[in-house]
Amino acid sequence: MNIHFIQHESFEAPGAYLNWANERNYTSTFSKVYENNPLPESVDSIDVLIILGGPQDPSTTKNECPHFDAQAEIILIQKAVNSEKAVVGTCLGAQLIGESFGATFRNSPEKEIGVFPIQLTENGIKDDKINHFGEIISVGHWHNDMPGLNENAQVLAASKGCPRQIVKYSDLVYGFQCHLEFTPEVIDLMIETDREFLINNTEHQFVQKPDQIRSFDFKEMNEKLYTFMDKLVEAYQTTHH
């Protein structure tokens, strides 16, 4: 299995997604766009495309962020979807997947940073790739936007601050607004980037202080993500046999 990551910033690291791939002895390749790595021309050698997060949004222009080309990423995602590859997006990645299905991203009702519970919807409880999460699970958050919905999209989980936490676009394509991939190492990178804001925040009810975020044990959430990824790979292999 070849897992290809699109990474937008050094601090929005793959975390548990990469640990999962390494534990399974899968091959991992990267387009680190913040280092001006090119995106793949073709998706032929890719089995799973994972698009990570970033402070950008799908409307960010090349003038605003020279290393980020939303349109090029959307085209790559469409190629992967059309070739029946497995595609997973986190945060910005989830919004880019939505855009690739013609669904415009939206602002989330609340900014969420820290660890908060998400609740599976009726569709989520029926979904055999994520229903092992249980009805309620605490997960990482670091966002103020959310993915768009097209007519076939199913919302699988929501939180108090954001109604679109996990969106299924097709049997092999999932967008996570939340971050199940956070590890203590990734959290430290994220906190370092937003330290002033986190320490001084008084207006956002769903934004935690650094120590509060660090005190969470991410292992269970990471393991649930591993199981989701295993089930996704299994569905992908069934499609391609």
Side-chain angles (χ1 to χ4, degrees):
M1 297 296 295
N2 183 22
I3 318 298
H4 188 78
F5 292 92
I6 300 178
Q7 186 174 350
H8 300 105
E9 303 294 345
S10 57
F11 52 85
E12 291 258 2
Y17 284 115
L18 185 58
N19 297 344
W20 162 79
N22 289 342
E23 281 184 25
R24 305 293 183 271
N25 289 318
Y26 296 154
T27 305
S28 294
T29 53
F30 280 84
S31 298
K32 296 183 177 181
V33 297
Y34 60 95
E35 292 181 352
N36 296 309
N37 292 171
L39 297 173
E41 291 288 318
S42 150
V43 295
D44 292 352
S45 65
I46 297 172
D47 297 301
V48 183
L49 177 64
I50 299 179
I51 310 100
L52 298 170
Q56 305 85 351
D57 67 48
S59 67
T60 300
T61 64
K62 295 271 285 178
N63 280 344
E64 292 166 323
C65 179
H67 68 251
F68 174 61
D69 186 342
Q71 209 43 52
E73 291 194 25
I74 289 164
I75 290 166
L76 180 67
I77 292 165
Q78 287 169 336
K79 281 185 194 170
V81 170
N82 293 337
S83 304
E84 294 191 301
K85 306 295 186 176
V87 184
V88 178
T90 292
C91 206
L92 169 62
Q95 297 156 25
L96 289 164
I97 290 174
E99 300 278 333
S100 77
F101 280 90
T104 309
F105 83 101
R106 296 277 180 258
N107 291 125
S108 173
E110 299 277 356
K111 190 181 193 70
E112 290 176 301
I113 296 182
V115 178
F116 300 100
I118 58 171
Q119 183 152 15
L120 265 53
T121 61
E122 215 169 297
N123 281 330
I125 291 164
K126 285 186 201 144
D127 187 277
D128 62 357
K129 293 189 202 68
I130 74 150
N131 56 14
H132 66 279
F133 288 3
E135 202 174 327
I136 294 177
I137 177 175
S138 290
V139 297
H141 303 271
W142 215 284
H143 72 102
N144 48 8
D145 295 317
M146 60 185 185
L149 302 177
N150 65 348
E151 59 198 15
N152 296 322
Q154 292 182 351
V155 176
L156 303 185
S159 67
K160 281 188 178 158
C162 175
R164 303 176 191 171
Q165 286 288 356
I166 303 176
V167 181
K168 176 182 183 175
Y169 290 96
S170 77
D171 196 42
L172 294 175
V173 183
Y174 285 73
F176 288 80
Q177 186 52 56
C178 49
H179 292 269
L180 281 85
E181 82 283 6
F182 279 168
T183 60
E185 295 76 17
V186 177
I187 281 294
D188 282 342
L189 294 171
M190 298 289 281
I191 287 172
E192 206 42 58
T193 309
D194 273 338
R195 179 182 293 282
E196 288 301 304
F197 169 75
L198 295 175
I199 291 169
N200 298 320
N201 167 61
T202 50
E203 57 172 320
H204 299 282
Q205 60 172 329
F206 296 109
V207 174
Q208 294 171 336
K209 300 289 183 213
D211 288 349
Q212 219 179 337
I213 303 171
R214 282 201 182 98
S215 69
F216 183 68
D217 180 1
F218 297 97
K219 280 195 201 76
E220 185 194 349
M221 170 185 91
N222 293 164
E223 277 163 17
K224 303 268 195 205
L225 180 66
Y226 290 5
T227 304
F228 163 77
M229 293 301 297
D230 288 338
K231 289 176 173 182
L232 185 67
V233 164
E234 197 180 331
Y236 167 77
Q237 288 171 326
T238 306
T239 307
H240 288 262
H241 276 316

